[in-house]
Amino acid sequence: MKGNWNHTATLVLLAALAFSGNRLGGATAAVPIPPEGDLLEFLDGSLLHGGLTRMDPVAGLRWECPSALKPIDFQPAHIDSIHFARGGSAAMPANCRLRFFNGDDLFGSVASLDNDRLNFTTWFGRDLAVSRASVQSITFLSSNYTILYEGPSDTNGWIFGNHYPGSWSFRDGVFTSGLPGSLGRNFNLTASSTVEFDLAWSDSFELLVVIYGDAVDHLDFRNSSYLLEFTRDQVNLRHIASDAASLTRSLGSAPLPVPPGKNKVRITIQSNQAEGTIAVFADNVLVKRWKDENGFHASGGGLLFQQQIMTGAVIKLSNFKISQWDGRYDPEASIVATNTDTVRFINHDQAAGKITGINDGKVAFTVGKDLLQIPLPRVTQLNFATNPVPPIARHPWEVRAYFLSGGSLSFQLEKWGEKEVSGRSAIFGPIAFQPGQIRELEFNLDRAAPITPADGNRDFEGLDE
Amino acid sequence: MNNRISILWLIATLAFNAPTQPVQKTVFAKPASQSLLLFRNGDLLYGNLQSIDSHGTVLWQHPDTTKPIDFRRDSIARIDFPAPADSRAVSDNACRVLLANGNLLEGNLLSCNPQILTLQTVYAGNLNIPRPALQSLVFPPHLPGVFDGITGLDGWTQGAAVAAFVTETGHWTYRNSAFYTDKPASIARDLKLPDTARIQFDLAWKGGLNFAVALYTDSLQPLLLTAKDDAPNFGGFYSLRFLNSAFIDLWPVKKREPVRELGQLFLPSLNNKTHMRVDLRISKSQHKIALFLDDTPVKEWVDPEGFIGEGTGMRFVQNSTAPLKLSNLRVTQWDGVLANTVGETGEIIHDTVWLEHSPQATGSIESIANGKLTVKTAAGPVQFSLPDIRAIDFAHKPASPRQPQALSVHATFAHGGGLDFILESWLPGEITGHNDDLGTIQINPTAFTRLQFLAPETPTSEKAGK
């Protein structure tokens, strides 16, 4: 009878459908609603949109979200970060960027330096004095340095040129693409520029980045611009000529120094119109500086990101910072770990010695037995001898704030109120600033240590559902 | 009945497979015992459900809060619970009952009369189901298992993936009844696949899904399809390929023959997933391979040139540099084939009793009691012993759609099946609800692995006055 059963059976027990959450007895699943507000992320992958209303070590972190009837008070043990849904950039007069050995970095203006102290002004305080031993580097900004954009906090101004469903999408400050498509925006770049963004990938990928292009909704080979092709292993630069009869001109390629297993890198693209150079940095390390011997020729002011291949790779772009500047030298984007002090000059030369001070617009620099007084306009960066910092036990409320104006600062949080955040920094002592200056707050800072092969299982977190 | 659209498979075997082996979970930041709350806005929160009251307040315990959190029910899409240990009792009367509305219940058949079928369950006691609500019932066939779960690397053969774009390769590791890899890698075994087979496994991944499965292969080493003719000799096999988190296709592959495509499936929803249950039902004699994802039939391929699989092995090949987990691999013989099924709109007038070793009987079932079924046929009453019965189609009308109410839910049983009801309360020891067919029901919460809330149309933000 089996044969008969096989060929004429009228009974189908559709267990398969009933197993599924997709078959709901004729009813439909709840309609999705868009997320709103700031984003609270946990170390276990949990996510909650809402808003931070207050925070202190006693009461915890108070989070209000539309899903909850009452505010929720969390302790910080398993919190990863808070991403604040605010964009733009804070106007800030600064002539340099200071990096510290503990990972902090700030924009500000240096007043003076001696063997013990650095005096400077930053957006949350004037005439600050910090230990020189905490300072890793001082990078002097180019003239008329202006931040044009920091974000994204939303998609306003961005153009999606999707070719496939599943191409570029936006959520919680990150553009994501799993299939070919373009993402562009006109930043009206008119001068030299620095384009920075975080690039993350899940697999071998190919990302095209057009700078100074006219078209921001598609790849356009009819107008002058520069095209960078990023893969996991290398970056290639081409010039696109406005002459349609011309082919794109390759300026060469360079290996992208990304260690195996790493899948995220901070990309910096420096375009120096006066010098006719384009430089790419990966995690502040120079990949290559190309010089267009024909001079810098580009007709537009936009950026276009094109996800190219269909291998299943997902790429993510986030934390954009677009700045513009004048002059013949680039802002230094690399950091040098060194056993001695070094000075880097506008012609890209570098000298090692002892930085003994900054006063009256000059760097006092001892090379051998010679003491040099170098005018600051000739200097792009001061790197200070590595000063090993002993590991310290983190307090549960030690956080790192990332600011709209750029830079970041770690501190032990004391109070987060509607109008003021206060805490204690290992470098600055007591600090206070407006919460609106912060775009991201990171908790449990030690968990951000690089993953070693021994604990590579972390890659599989979340797969064990 | 033969004019009914036939798209569904007779899958009696799947309804009665050994229960899914509880997965021993690897604990990182999230304790394995935690449940998962998924919100309609895409948020998610691990923790444990304390209760749901009649006003729709969901009380959720989180390890970083001192007090449970009160969530609005209408903001929640679903709750996933850890899988419990199997507590089903084995019984000669064990069956699964499909209701006309698509709900599926598991239990022991106690009795049936012209008005009511009574099902004894371990999760809700005795359920009295009105006859008009019944669609079908099936008893378990007892087919032997072929491969039941991953227990280690022994017996498996590893190989480096060779797909295009691969820049580095890795290997699979074993942990807690699962294989893991985060680099391109192949693992294969001669699983002695039967001629009609059901193959099930779970996939969980991060990043894009770019994965391939070789079916009915005689080679345990992967090969590059674009250079297959240069590879060591191998017999024909089928390559099931998951590409770009959006495409699925099936290629018959033979040496020195062009690769053919049997049809590509475009599933953009895969891009939003991070795990899924893959379920293949294969009939060599009918040259068919049917694919179910998360228990939903998505594609059936028929090879017009005949079944070309020449081996009985399988290869699992990760082609991405991204974490992937393979678990709950199970191979069973499969007894089902493509079959006619319920019509699109038609009413089923008669009951049909399907027998193991005799032609089916059609008529009106008068009773089931004391291990006997009596059906009134045109030739008069006929009686059968329950062990001789394989399945029953009940006369019924198509179910009419029901408008979800504020607390309408669909609950998925841990061991398969599901039930719609209006949730009245959820307490640690008991769920109380109302089902249109079953009336008031009280269910043990541990019976469920998922609770899905149905279609409240008003966005949370509006109700919150935003």
Side-chain angles (χ1 to χ4, degrees), chain A residues 186 210-217 220 222-225 298-302:
Chain A
N186 189 357
V210 178
I211 55 176
Y212 294 92
D214 282 300
V216 292
D217 60 347
D220 185 354
R222 296 170 301 177
N223 294 294
S224 287
S225 59
S299 57

Side-chain angles (χ1 to χ4, degrees), chain A residues 337-377:
Chain A
T338 172
N339 291 325
T340 61
D341 296 345
T342 61
V343 176
R344 304 181 78 169
F345 299 93
I346 58 174
N347 62 357
H348 305 299
D349 285 349
Q350 178 173 307
K354 173 70 176 172
I355 300 169
T356 55
I358 300 176
N359 269 306
D360 300 329
K362 293 180 180 176
V363 180
F365 187 55
T366 302
V367 181
K369 295 179 180 176
D370 299 327
L371 175 63
L372 308 177
Q373 294 287 341
I374 307 168
L376 282 178

